[in-house]
Amino acid sequence: MKRLKAASLITAIKTPYNRDGEIDLATYDQLVEQLIAGGVEGIIVGGTTGEGQLMNWEEHLMLIAHSANKFGDRLIIIGNTGSNNTREAIKATEYGFASGMDAALQINPYYGRTSEQGVIEHFKKVLPLGPLFIYNVPGRTGQDVTPEMIAQIADHPNFIGMKECAGNERIAAYEAQGIACWSGNDDEAFEGRHKANSHGVMSVTANIAPSLMRKLMDDSQASELNKKMQPLISWLFCEPNPISINTALAMTGAVAPIFRLPYVALSAEQRKQGVELLSAFDQNELVGDELNVLEDSDFTYLA
């Protein structure tokens, strides 16, 4: 638990694909190596950014097992094994821990929402399985996991803390109570770390700029860097995640420009804006070896 709580920069890693539409493990491994070189301490496998929602459980659990086997000695491996189906969340989490992951990321039931007490009972069923983070992202689930709800489960020995998207005021309140919090909002992560006393960030931006996000977590005086990065972070969320990060990594040559539908690349105009924003940083600060707008015809969309 001490090792899990010590990680301040955790990346929700992107999942790359090959021309057959399958997970490209060779490219995935290259991405992970670059994240490690940039100072990332942990990865979330198959999260929203990693498109777990577009995977079947066989793929999802394979990628967790692969990550644990290949990188578990150098990174904290967090498997996104949550679900809006409690039975499914239990089974996936059991398999994830059997595959070697260090912790699970658990979201509250979404779409087919339940009552507040139902959310609490859902978490009570997965907490005994192993260490876990609870992910609160009301913008995606349509339901806020409130501090009053967390108070009923926070004393469980397997509860690590929160990935919290409800803002730094809530993060500061949690941390004041001794509940560990990681920001789920890259644009707020610097102030979350140095003003709200968060444990760190679970980041999308770290996929393409890990060393810069590392500096934001480590250096309380890096306000100018934080200001410089805000336009890039804003662009990375100009469409629902992971559309922009997928496009950006294709533009830097880090991954092939292959998307699983229903995600499609940013428009040519948005890509031009992205090149301008990414060009403000040194190439060695970015994941990938080049920077191109790409043509619409360069992108492949697979079901």
Side-chain angles (χ1 to χ4, degrees):
M1 191 65 74
K2 185 180 291 187
R3 175 173 174 248
L4 294 170
K5 288 189 175 182
S8 59
L9 181 56
I10 297 169
T11 303
I13 188 171
K14 186 261 188 298
T15 303
Y17 305 107
N18 61 28
R19 292 289 171 185
D20 296 322
E22 303 299 326
I23 296 172
D24 184 345
L25 289 177
T27 299
Y28 178 84
D29 291 349
Q30 291 171 8
L31 289 177
V32 176
E33 290 291 355
Q34 290 180 83
L35 296 185
I36 293 171
V40 169
E41 297 151 290
I43 55 174
I44 300 169
V45 181
T48 304
T49 308
E51 301 179 19
Q53 63 275 14
L54 303 188
M55 297 178 192
N56 59 44
W57 278 113
E58 181 181 53
E59 290 178 308
H60 203 148
L61 292 164
M62 176 280 293
L63 194 58
I64 291 171
H66 173 81
S67 301
N69 179 64
K70 186 139 190 174
F71 301 106
D73 59 336
R74 291 188 286 163
L75 284 174
I76 292 166
I77 307 299
I78 303 164
N80 174 37
T81 55
S83 173
N84 62 346
N85 176 334
T86 305
R87 182 182 291 267
E88 191 173 78
I90 293 169
K91 186 60 66 176
T93 302
E94 288 175 338
Y95 285 150
F97 281 119
S99 299
M101 70 183 186
D102 297 294
L105 183 69
Q106 297 287 337
I107 199 164
N108 54 301
Y110 44 87
Y111 185 69
R113 289 167 48 191
T114 185
S115 64
E116 290 189 2
Q117 191 57 42
V119 172
I120 293 165
E121 294 302 322
H122 173 86
F123 288 139
K124 284 182 177 179
K125 289 296 185 183
V126 290
L127 273 163
L129 303 177
L132 63 83
F133 299 88
I134 290 177
Y135 182 19
N136 183 38
V137 55
R140 287 190 179 270
T141 65
Q143 185 175 23
D144 187 16
V145 179
T146 65
E148 291 75 20
M149 296 159 73
I150 293 300
Q152 298 190 48
I153 55 177
D155 61 350
H156 194 286
N158 283 335
F159 174 68
I160 305 165
M162 301 293 297
K163 178 183 179 182
E164 183 58 73
C165 295
N168 285 336
E169 185 175 340
R170 182 174 293 185
I171 287 174
Y174 273 136
E175 289 285 358
Q177 299 172 50
I179 294 175
C181 268
W182 286 256
S183 176
N185 299 331
D186 284 349
D187 61 329
E188 300 178 332
F190 175 72
E191 291 192 354
R193 174 72 165 162
H194 301 293
K195 293 185 179 179
N197 298 314
S198 77
H199 276 54
V201 63
M202 298 187 182
S203 174
V204 174
T205 306
N207 277 284
I208 196 160
S211 63
L212 299 177
M213 292 302 295
R214 176 75 271 160
K215 185 172 179 63
L216 291 186
M217 291 301 98
D218 291 348
D219 186 357
S220 63
Q221 304 302 310
S223 55
E224 286 303 312
L225 174 60
N226 182 54
K227 183 178 179 180
K228 180 181 178 181
M229 289 188 68
Q230 289 302 312
L232 174 61
I233 293 171
S234 179
W235 177 79
L236 286 171
F237 293 91
C238 68
E239 298 288 359
N241 184 50
I243 292 170
S244 297
I245 193 64
N246 286 354
T247 306
L249 288 168
M251 288 162 51
T252 63
V255 303
I258 299 169
F259 283 64
R260 276 189 179 179
L261 291 167
Y263 298 123
V264 298
L266 294 177
S267 69
E269 190 59 37
Q270 289 169 318
R271 298 197 301 272
K272 289 176 184 176
Q273 181 186 16
V275 165
E276 292 177 5
L277 293 169
L278 289 164
S279 295
F281 301 94
D282 292 339
Q283 188 64 50
N284 63 11
E285 295 176 317
L286 304 175
V287 171
D289 300 320
E290 56 192 26
L291 189 55
N292 298 299
V293 173
L294 301 177
E295 299 294 331
D296 289 344
S297 59
D298 290 327
F299 292 93
T300 299
Y301 303 117
L302 302 169

